[in-house]
Amino acid sequence: MSQNQTTLSYKESGVDIDAGNTLVEHIKPIVKSTFDSNVIGGIGSFAGAYALPLGFKEPVILGATDGVGTKLKLAIDSGRFDSVGIDLVAMCVNDLICNHATPLFFLDYYATGKLEVENALQVIKGIAEGCKQAECALIGGETAEMPGMYHAKDFDLAGFAVGIAERSDVERETQTQKGDLLVALPSSGAHSNGYSLIRKILFETRGMKFEDDFLGRPLIETLLEPTRIYVKTYKALRGKIHSLAHITGGGIVENLPRVFGENQRALIQKEKLPSHPLFDLLKEHVEEKEAYRTFNMGTGMILCVPQEHLKEVLEKSGGVLVGEVVEGEKGVELVG
């Protein structure tokens, strides 16, 4: 090497291997707390291992992936990182159960420009909490430090959930039947959809601040309320419902028809749908049609329920009867 040449380290390029190792040591007991008897091995291998549960006739593996979207921007700007991990898990496992899959395990991907160990630790604690709520194991993940790709305190999250179901349930085109009753499960708020519009309305149009009082607490706490996880509800009711739809981006009008067959249509009484004060505020700046295809409007999941099981489903789910499945062009009709 010439005397005039300068030697550089990975850390000087912006990647701190030691910080990554420190994070791994901190999260080991957190991750292990989510393990069940099917997890094989520990943490730190090149891949996570999970034994298939027994009791399935023709087991099929299903996978789902998602992120948290621009809700992350609110977490970053407010310095509150304890709940977005729950959102990450929720967005994936709530999709899995709509295909009649029981979540088995979860993996996460955390990418940032500069790894802030304490912030990342709070995020991963949230992921572990989400896995506990979903009764699945956190068996692996990846933390990537990528200076030049992400700037300042920015980071992004992606999640990957794997579940198991009977092949007969997966291959069935639809279980929904004409005459099924529609039960809406309340959301905890906006969940993880529509935040680009939410941020524009609240902070640009209305000039609101994180600390402004809303519902008796700072606005940012309402906005960062984690997505509700419906796995336990599904497990308690899976033999009593025909199908279920996760109400995410696209709202009720685009997500509910995904569980319908041809010539099946939802007739929903708007006034019966769960409500949330946040959407009353947002609706002042958004046309109703746009609101119902952007936000969940207070409903996180809709169940299609045979009439003979309605009473039990209502009692065990905390949901409300909002309509029924009728014959007609596939879609959703909101009346009232």
Side-chain angles (χ1 to χ4, degrees), residues 178-204:
K178 177 185 172 183
D180 279 353
L181 300 175
L182 300 173
V183 173
L185 306 186
S187 72
S188 56
H191 283 182
S192 296
N193 296 103
Y195 273 83
S196 294
L197 182 55
I198 290 172
R199 288 165 49 237
K200 187 173 184 64
I201 291 172
L202 298 184
F203 303 119
E204 294 184 28

Side-chain angles (χ1 to χ4, degrees), residues 193-234:
N193 296 103
Y195 273 83
S196 294
L197 182 55
I198 290 172
R199 288 165 49 237
K200 187 173 184 64
I201 291 172
L202 298 184
F203 303 119
E204 294 184 28
T205 302
R206 297 184 68 98
M208 299 180 74
K209 306 297 182 185
F210 288 165
E211 62 273 14
D212 287 351
D213 180 79
F214 187 76
L215 305 178
R217 58 177 179 164
L219 173 64
I220 189 62
E221 292 186 10
T222 295
L223 296 180
L224 289 180
E225 188 71 33
T227 304
R228 186 165 291 171
I229 292 174
Y230 299 98
V231 173
K232 292 180 182 177
T233 299
Y234 165 72

Side-chain angles (χ1 to χ4, degrees), residues 46-298:
F46 291 96
Y50 195 92
L52 289 181
L54 302 176
F56 288 83
K57 297 178 181 178
E58 289 187 280
V60 174
I61 298 297
L62 294 88
T65 183
D66 211 334
V68 182
T70 57
K71 189 174 187 177
L72 272 180
K73 181 65 174 171
L74 295 181
I76 293 166
D77 290 347
S78 65
R80 297 168 180 253
F81 304 103
D82 58 337
S83 62
V84 288
I86 300 174
D87 289 298
L88 185 67
V89 176
M91 295 304 289
C92 297
V93 297
N94 284 346
D95 278 352
L96 278 182
I97 61 177
C98 291
N99 284 91
H100 302 281
T102 299
L104 299 178
F105 59 84
F106 189 85
L107 301 97
D108 68 276
Y109 179 76
Y110 182 109
T112 184
K114 176 176 172 53
L115 181 60
E116 299 287 347
V117 173
E118 184 55 39
N119 294 348
L121 183 60
Q122 292 303 310
V123 172
I124 295 170
K125 284 181 178 179
I127 293 172
E129 171 58 28
C131 286
K132 290 177 182 177
Q133 292 182 23
E135 297 181 330
C136 67
L138 177 59
I139 67 168
E142 175 70 14
T143 302
E145 202 169 14
M146 298 190 292
M149 291 289 291
Y150 298 89
H151 301 282
K153 296 181 179 180
D154 286 347
F155 67 93
D156 200 7
L157 292 175
F160 312 88
V162 172
I164 190 169
E166 288 287 1
R167 182 167 184 162
S168 58
D169 289 333
V170 175
E171 290 185 333
R172 196 174 305 172
E173 183 177 348
T174 180
Q175 296 180 336
T176 309
Q177 297 180 15
K178 177 185 172 183
D180 279 353
L181 300 175
L182 300 173
V183 173
L185 306 186
S187 72
S188 56
H191 283 182
S192 296
N193 296 103
Y195 273 83
S196 294
L197 182 55
I198 290 172
R199 288 165 49 237
K200 187 173 184 64
I201 291 172
L202 298 184
F203 303 119
E204 294 184 28
T205 302
R206 297 184 68 98
M208 299 180 74
K209 306 297 182 185
F210 288 165
E211 62 273 14
D212 287 351
D213 180 79
F214 187 76
L215 305 178
R217 58 177 179 164
L219 173 64
I220 189 62
E221 292 186 10
T222 295
L223 296 180
L224 289 180
E225 188 71 33
T227 304
R228 186 165 291 171
I229 292 174
Y230 299 98
V231 173
K232 292 180 182 177
T233 299
Y234 165 72
K235 286 182 175 180
L237 295 172
R238 57 185 156 194
K240 309 296 180 181
I241 58 179
H242 280 152
S243 56
L244 59 168
H246 187 194
I247 310 304
T248 56
I252 294 173
V253 294
E254 292 191 6
N255 284 290
L256 185 53
R258 295 167 68 179
V259 301
F260 288 171
E262 294 301 320
N263 301 315
Q264 291 182 344
R265 184 172 183 83
L267 194 63
I268 293 178
Q269 303 294 323
K270 278 191 298 186
E271 72 276 5
K272 294 183 179 181
L273 286 166
S275 62
H276 191 285
L278 175 62
F279 299 110
D280 294 333
L281 180 62
L282 295 172
K283 280 195 298 184
E284 295 178 15
H285 303 274
V286 184
E287 292 184 359
E288 183 175 84
K289 184 177 180 180
E290 178 73 7
Y292 273 99
R293 69 186 301 268
T294 301
F295 308 123
N296 65 52
M297 299 302 287

